Amino acid sequence: MNKNKPFIIGIAGGSGSGKTFFLNSFLHHFKNDEVTLVSQDDYYFPAGEMTQEENKLYNFDLPSTIDNEQFLQDIKRLVKGEVVYKKEYNFNNPLAVVKILEVNPAPIVIVEGLFILHFKEIAALLDYRIFVEAEEAVALQRRIKRDGMERGYAEDGVLYKWHNHVVPAYKEFLLPYKGTADKVVINNLDTPEDIIRITEEISKDLRPRYCKQS
């Protein structure tokens, strides 16, 4: 076993599960050089510029929309201790300034995304799997709020995507892997204290084993 190999944590969760808050809370327990993050959201194949109606109908919730080969290669490069440079995905927003992300290797690598357990070669690299979930009604309200505030989507478009894309994809490509998770986090209540407590427990266990203590 390679003692220098990073510990790889997979964090999966459906839309509106509160995965982003969980992730941010988890990262907060580590120093910058102790942990690095690779997000599936930065590996969408470019969909080209679309009208609002085309965007509504385009299904982003399919594994085929993700460049999983590049995703896999970049994770492997981090495992080898190499720096990864990646264009940030802008969700087809022509006004967005595209940033180049610099992802540095670290003792703990977090791989985050909807399909990380579905992509078999990526799943095989994970040392620890966390599955974040919420009741469907709770998740939908979070999605409506996020897409309205952050992306300017109309509610009817959000509902169309939810019923036709989001829920079917969740049931087919994520939910079947719930039983393979090392930890399932139920996140129905928007109470940060619960999530902070859970992430603190996990980080307290991992930091002494994988991060050099100063």
Side-chain angles (χ1 to χ4, degrees), residues 27-37 104-108:
L27 291 170
H28 183 70
H29 298 295
F30 295 88
K31 297 173 187 170
N32 286 345
D33 61 353
E34 292 177 337
V35 66
T36 197
L37 170 67
N104 291 293
I108 294 175

Side-chain angles (χ1 to χ4, degrees), residues 145-174:
K145 187 177 175 182
R146 184 204 71 184
D147 280 4
M149 288 174 64
E150 293 180 17
R151 298 178 188 169
Y153 294 168
E155 188 169 324
D156 65 329
V158 177
L159 290 171
Y160 176 88
K161 277 187 175 293
W162 181 265
H163 294 298
N164 293 281
H165 302 166
V166 176
V167 173
Y170 176 77
K171 289 179 176 175
E172 183 174 355
F173 302 116
L174 181 55

Side-chain angles (χ1 to χ4, degrees), residues 11 18-26 130 132 185 195 198-199:
I11 300 181
K19 179 161 54 71
T20 302
F21 182 79
F22 179 90
L23 192 58
N24 289 337
S25 176
F26 189 77
I130 299 171
V132 185
V185 177
I195 298 302
I198 293 166
T199 56

Side-chain angles (χ1 to χ4, degrees), residues 15-201:
S15 179
S17 63
K19 179 161 54 71
T20 302
F21 182 79
F22 179 90
L23 192 58
N24 289 337
S25 176
F26 189 77
L27 291 170
H28 183 70
H29 298 295
F30 295 88
K31 297 173 187 170
N32 286 345
D33 61 353
E34 292 177 337
V35 66
T36 197
L37 170 67
V38 197
S39 176
Q40 179 191 287
D41 275 359
D42 291 312
Y43 291 88
Y44 280 104
F45 286 113
E49 287 189 28
M50 292 187 284
T51 64
Q52 202 165 5
E53 185 62 22
E54 286 169 336
N55 191 299
K56 176 178 142 181
L57 298 174
Y58 185 85
N59 191 351
F60 287 96
D61 288 88
L62 292 173
S64 57
T65 62
I66 303 295
D67 187 351
N68 62 305
E69 284 300 318
Q70 188 61 54
F71 194 13
L72 175 66
Q73 291 311 311
D74 284 355
I75 296 166
K76 286 182 174 179
R77 286 171 65 193
L78 288 168
V79 169
K80 288 180 189 171
E82 298 174 12
V83 179
V84 168
Y85 294 97
K86 185 81 190 68
K87 270 188 183 179
E88 185 179 44
Y89 189 73
N90 66 1
F91 288 93
N92 294 325
N93 179 355
L95 301 176
V97 178
V98 178
K99 290 188 283 191
I100 299 295
L101 304 173
E102 180 180 310
V103 187
N104 291 293
I108 294 175
V109 175
I110 295 179
V111 179
E112 173 271 324
L114 185 66
F115 305 127
I116 60 168
L117 303 179
H118 174 74
F119 294 135
K120 289 183 172 53
E121 288 182 278
I122 290 175
L125 295 175
L126 306 175
D127 297 307
Y128 191 81
R129 303 172 178 202
I130 299 171
F131 189 103
V132 185
E133 71 170 347
E135 290 174 8
E136 192 175 320
V138 174
L140 174 57
Q141 286 310 307
R142 288 173 179 161
R143 171 85 177 215
I144 290 170
K145 187 177 175 182
R146 184 204 71 184
D147 280 4
M149 288 174 64
E150 293 180 17
R151 298 178 188 169
Y153 294 168
E155 188 169 324
D156 65 329
V158 177
L159 290 171
Y160 176 88
K161 277 187 175 293
W162 181 265
H163 294 298
N164 293 281
H165 302 166
V166 176
V167 173
Y170 176 77
K171 289 179 176 175
E172 183 174 355
F173 302 116
L174 181 55
L175 194 56
Y177 302 100
K178 180 180 172 182
T180 71
D182 297 283
K183 186 168 191 67
V184 176
V185 177
I186 310 296
N187 187 23
N188 290 320
L189 305 172
D190 286 313
T191 48
E193 294 79 14
D194 291 346
I195 298 302
I196 291 166
R197 178 181 50 78
I198 293 166
T199 56
E200 190 171 17
E201 286 169 7

